[in-house]
Amino acid sequence: MRNKLVAVAIAAVLGTLSVSAHADDSTINSASDLFTQGHVDGELRLYDFNRSYDYDVAAKPSARAFGGSILLNAQTASLDGFSAGASLVSANALGSLADNPKRVDTTLMGASDSLTALSQAYLQYANSWVNVKAGYQYLNTPWMGNSDGRLLPNSYEALSAVFTPVAGWNIIGIRELSYKSRTSDDYFNDNNYYNSAYQGDTLYGGNQGLPLTAKQTSGTWALGSTYVNGGLKAQGWYYDFLDFARMGYADGSYVFKTDTGFDPVIGFQGLTENGGGSDNVLVANKLKINGIAGTDVQSRAWGADLGVVIPNGRFDVFYNKVEQETGSVIGDGSIISPFTANYATDPLYTTSMIRGLVEAGPGHAWKAKMTYGFFDNSLQLVGAYAKYTTDLNGNFHDTYFDIIYNFSGFLKGFQIRDRWEKSSGGINNLNPGNQSFTYNRVMLTYKF
């Protein structure tokens, strides 16, 4: 209810904001100027998602979801570095829900006909070297981000600060307090491991294994640093997913400029994770990750990338390894990822559209990916093939195609995209009936 009341208030303010660019401090002469010289933008989405199972039975039938959404973003002008912002999001199934609930792909927007939420409502202070933001906001970090592949994005109640000591170098600190998933209408003290009915949360698409009696999570602390200079990109992060796991993560890549049009790329990533004890929510509730419960969290993973940037495109071969751990370790070493698990939005190189090693557990994978652009990159074609060899869910492979077209001129901002992937193999019903699973996502968007 609190979210909806604030949403109504924010909606009233939207009408006072301009669609022009931000004003600078020198033009702000009154409190009303903060709003009249503010800025509004947004996005319209129309998505059609289809899950087609080769093993289509009543207990797990093929599923579909269709719907549209609007995302409105508003920000006031800045006064002495201070400003405020808000985002309203609303999705609607447009009367398309199947009569059989099992035939509804609830990952698109949940199981209801409509969903409206306040995804941002923040105060911020910004100058040339620091940006501090408090309130509901989008986060963009490797293991805690927007997961924005559906009608609505994830968002978080958090305090975040970005320091920029020199150009290209950022230091980021975050204290996350509560979470609104991409199918939720409010903020809750949970994450993707909780049940879809936990505290009334309509959280779909995550692991949903914890019982309704599980204790609330206390949130997350995160500290990270990113650096970009020429062909070098590097980042390092520490996450304390309170009551779940502590994670250290780093990755980096370098593009060697050759002035030939063919620039080699190398990349590396590594992860280590630990935690456990009686206060751990997963331990206390004996949750089985990939079929295995435990008393400890231990995970180690690494990955490598060898690629080449070519005229209008890029080709890469990726590799990841997640070690299988011994002892009473949850998931035999499965990565515990509270905000990406079952979303397949983690940063591992070999993660596919449907899933990756976070979902399938310890083992190794390789992926080959090609991206190529036509007509000044208005048309982009992507193809990939990934092979997974896992310790708990057998061997499987994914084939992926992605077609993206960005319009120009009068239709600038309009994009048509079709993402298609087929997963084959695996055991333990990784795919229904251990047969193939095809996921096709047609996505139309317009940014204004």
Side-chain angles (χ1 to χ4, degrees):
M1 176 61 73
R2 58 169 184 170
N3 199 354
K4 294 178 180 177
L5 290 175
V6 176
V8 172
I10 296 297
V13 174
L14 284 175
T16 69
L17 295 172
S18 167
V19 294
S20 63
H22 290 287
D24 58 43
D25 288 3
S26 64
T27 66
I28 306 301
N29 298 311
S30 67
S32 63
D33 288 343
L34 287 171
F35 297 96
T36 59
Q37 298 185 40
H39 176 73
V40 174
D41 59 39
E43 184 175 349
L44 298 173
R45 299 178 175 181
L46 193 67
Y47 289 0
D48 185 18
F49 282 20
N50 287 270
R51 295 170 174 260
S52 301
Y53 302 127
D54 286 4
Y55 183 77
D56 191 334
V57 296
K60 187 71 172 180
S62 297
R64 175 179 180 264
F66 176 80
S69 65
I70 181 169
L71 293 74
L72 291 175
N73 309 304
Q75 187 168 349
T76 68
S78 174
L79 179 61
D80 295 328
F82 291 92
S83 62
S87 296
L88 286 174
V89 294
S90 183
N92 196 288
L94 305 175
S96 66
L97 292 184
D99 292 335
N100 180 359
K102 292 183 178 180
R103 289 199 173 276
V104 178
D105 179 1
T106 55
T107 71
L108 184 61
M109 56 169 286
S112 62
D113 285 301
S114 63
L115 173 64
T116 299
L118 183 66
S119 60
Q120 293 197 103
Y122 60 82
L123 297 175
Q124 76 170 1
Y125 174 79
N127 59 31
S128 61
W129 63 275
V130 66
N131 185 308
V132 179
K133 186 180 293 186
Y136 301 156
Q137 58 189 279
Y138 299 139
L139 297 177
N140 182 25
T141 82
W143 296 91
M144 187 166 61
N146 295 350
S147 295
D148 194 12
R150 298 299 195 273
L151 285 174
L152 305 179
N154 288 345
S155 55
Y156 305 82
E157 180 184 14
L159 173 66
S160 64
V162 180
F163 302 92
T164 307
V166 296
W169 179 29
N170 289 328
I171 301 171
I172 306 104
I174 300 170
R175 176 59 167 107
E176 179 262 340
L177 299 173
S178 62
Y179 170 58
K180 189 199 78 62
S181 80
R182 56 195 188 187
T183 66
S184 304
D185 65 357
D186 211 332
Y187 293 78
F188 298 87
N189 301 111
D190 61 12
N191 57 49
N192 288 2
Y193 290 109
Y194 285 82
N195 191 285
S196 62
Y198 186 76
Q199 296 184 335
D201 190 359
T202 55
L203 191 163
Y204 289 90
N207 280 356
Q208 302 178 8
L210 288 172
L212 297 178
T213 55
K215 76 171 183 178
Q216 300 177 9
T217 176
S218 304
T220 303
W221 288 94
L223 178 65
S225 180
T226 66
Y227 184 73
V228 178
N229 185 4
L232 174 65
K233 293 183 179 180
Q235 61 180 330
W237 289 87
Y238 171 78
Y239 296 89
D240 189 350
F241 301 114
L242 298 172
D243 313 308
F244 281 83
R246 296 179 296 273
M247 174 192 290
Y249 172 76
D251 72 37
S253 65
Y254 192 84
V255 179
F256 296 87
K257 302 294 184 179
T258 64
D259 296 323
T260 66
F262 294 84
D263 298 333
V265 181
I266 60 171
F268 181 82
Q269 61 184 183
L271 175 149
T272 181
E273 198 170 30
N274 61 66
S278 59
D279 291 336
N280 185 290
V281 177
L282 303 176
V283 173
N285 292 277
K286 300 179 181 179
L287 184 67
K288 294 182 178 180
I289 304 294
N290 287 307
I292 298 177
T295 59
D296 194 17
V297 172
Q298 294 289 337
S299 185
R300 294 172 295 153
W302 65 276
D305 169 27
L306 290 176
V308 59
V309 177
I310 63 176
N312 304 314
R314 176 168 170 162
F315 176 76
D316 292 270
V317 177
F318 303 102
Y319 179 83
N320 277 119
K321 171 70 172 178
V322 177
E323 301 289 345
Q324 186 175 26
E325 304 292 343
T326 59
S328 183
V329 176
I330 298 172
D332 266 11
S334 295
I335 296 172
I336 304 304
S337 180
F339 301 108
T340 77
N342 273 22
Y343 278 6
T345 54
D346 62 82
L348 294 186
Y349 293 144
T350 56
T351 298
S352 296
M353 186 180 82
I354 293 174
R355 69 173 70 87
L357 290 175
V358 169
E359 289 75 26
H364 65 268
W366 66 269
K367 180 168 74 173
K369 179 180 179 181
M370 178 73 184
T371 301
Y372 198 81
F374 298 88
F375 314 123
D376 293 327
N377 280 327
S378 292
L379 174 64
Q380 300 172 47
L381 304 181
V382 183
Y385 176 84
K387 173 71 175 181
Y388 301 85
T389 304
T390 72
D391 299 301
L392 303 176
N393 286 294
N395 304 335
F396 62 99
H397 57 92
D398 295 348
T399 304
Y400 175 74
F401 294 102
D402 192 356
I403 303 173
I404 308 167
Y405 190 82
N406 292 290
F407 289 80
S408 58
F410 179 72
L411 293 175
K412 184 177 181 180
F414 181 48
Q415 180 188 91
I416 297 177
R417 184 176 188 181
D418 189 359
R419 304 182 71 192
W420 180 97
E421 185 165 276
K422 184 172 185 176
S423 178
S424 303
I427 59 176
N428 302 323
N429 286 311
L430 183 73
N431 293 323
N434 299 315
Q435 297 186 30
S436 296
F437 161 26
T438 303
Y439 206 162
N440 190 41
R441 305 175 182 174
V442 179
M443 310 161 75
L444 281 67
T445 62
Y446 177 67
K447 294 183 178 181
F448 57 89

